[in-house]
Amino acid sequence: MAQRTEALFRDDAYLKTADAQVVAINDRGGILLDRTIFYATSGGQPGDTGLLERADGSRIAIAATITGETKDEIIHVPTPEQALPSVGEKLRLNIDWQRRHLLMRMHAACHLLTVVCPFPITGAAVAEDDSRVDFDIPDAGFTKEDVTARLMELVRADHPIFTRLITEEELSANPGLVKSKNVRPPVGTGRIRLVCIGENASVDSQPCGGTHVKSTGEVGEIHIGKIEKKGRENRRFRIRFGPMPTN
């Protein structure tokens, strides 16, 4: 039977530390906790890395965080050859905040790109320094410079980014909220988490379980590094931090 982990990051993506209790160790040595601040790989965003600190001060390095049988079962994967904690043991959780914050900024940037390029999404991958979003576009008609300029307009406007919950019925009544061409948000819980941008979601609103910064201004300077043709109707946009290179 799948364990259920309270995902603290869903309500507060800025938690860097928290206390938790070990509820299970799986047959591969994965650590399951009653609650966690570690985001598990999902939706194109990689899982968190970091440390679990034991009462005696020793630390367990976490190399990856993944989901188990369900999205609510979050497994902390330790680096090899470490002493594992015991079921019932209390731990102090510490995520690699610098890495997570880069991912939060990048994930928000990917959402902004879907505003600038309002086409069906065929794939996406968030990374610390070079992310991509693939769109179903027959003829791109976009330049790196134009898309970058429009992205930076949204960044400089410093729009708020927030989440809200809607019912599955509300999502069914508003199918345009789903931007992905092939992937539907998970259903069955009765609730869908929307990530919204702008006052009253005036800029964007789409289902997403990832972590994001609190405002578009916090994304910082970004640019489109490359637009690649991937098939007849597929265009891959690569987002990078910093100003666009001049050469």
Side-chain angles (χ1 to χ4, degrees):
M1 181 178 171
Q3 300 283 344
R4 182 179 176 84
T5 309
E6 183 186 355
L8 301 176
F9 56 79
R10 285 189 188 137
D11 293 324
D12 186 356
Y14 287 80
L15 287 173
K16 303 175 184 68
T17 64
D19 295 311
Q21 189 169 12
V22 180
V23 295
I25 305 291
N26 70 15
D27 54 3
R28 295 185 179 181
I31 302 167
L32 289 87
L33 307 170
D34 60 344
R35 61 209 295 263
T36 191
I37 53 175
F38 282 71
Y39 180 83
T41 301
S42 180
Q45 179 176 331
D48 282 318
T49 58
L51 297 166
L52 308 182
E53 192 171 346
R54 307 177 79 175
D56 64 3
S58 63
R59 294 174 164 188
I60 302 165
I62 298 301
T65 310
I66 60 175
T67 54
E69 293 177 30
T70 70
K71 291 273 189 186
D72 290 320
E73 185 176 72
I74 297 176
I75 301 167
H76 307 76
V77 182
T79 57
E81 298 177 10
Q82 294 185 97
L84 294 175
S86 306
V87 172
E89 188 173 339
K90 290 184 168 60
L91 302 171
R92 181 77 172 167
L93 317 184
N94 301 275
I95 58 170
D96 180 341
W97 171 250
Q98 187 173 5
R99 176 177 178 270
R100 158 71 87 75
H101 192 240
L102 287 171
L103 292 170
M104 287 164 60
R105 289 168 58 201
M106 263 298 191
H107 202 152
C110 290
H111 281 243
L112 294 180
L113 181 56
T114 71
V115 174
V116 174
C117 301
F119 299 93
I121 299 166
T122 55
V126 182
E128 297 107 295
D129 50 9
D130 185 342
S131 299
R132 67 169 174 83
V133 183
D134 299 347
F135 295 99
D136 183 354
I137 311 174
D139 177 23
F142 290 97
T143 67
K144 295 185 298 181
E145 292 76 14
D146 287 345
V147 176
T148 296
R150 293 176 64 190
L151 284 172
M152 286 309 301
E153 282 178 18
L154 292 169
V155 169
R156 293 190 186 102
D158 201 21
H159 296 291
I161 302 176
F162 60 97
T163 62
R164 69 184 183 93
L165 296 174
I166 62 170
T167 64
E168 291 174 3
E169 289 74 21
E170 286 176 289
L171 182 67
S172 297
N174 295 277
L177 289 172
V178 179
K179 297 190 176 188
S180 176
K181 184 175 182 179
N182 303 313
V183 181
R184 310 298 295 177
V187 296
T189 62
R191 295 282 177 177
I192 302 293
R193 180 182 188 257
L194 294 183
V195 170
C196 307
I197 302 175
E199 296 292 340
N200 300 314
S202 57
V203 175
D204 191 43
S205 184
Q206 59 180 293
C208 183
T211 61
H212 312 78
V213 287
K214 290 178 180 174
S215 71
T216 61
E218 199 176 332
V219 170
E221 188 153 27
I222 50 175
H223 68 276
I224 298 299
K226 194 181 289 186
I227 302 175
E228 302 168 291
K229 186 173 182 178
K230 295 287 182 181
R232 189 165 58 89
E233 297 187 343
N234 206 41
R235 298 295 182 276
R236 174 168 293 174
F237 290 68
R238 292 199 171 276
I239 309 176
R240 294 167 186 161
F241 284 126
M244 179 173 279
T246 52
N247 54 8

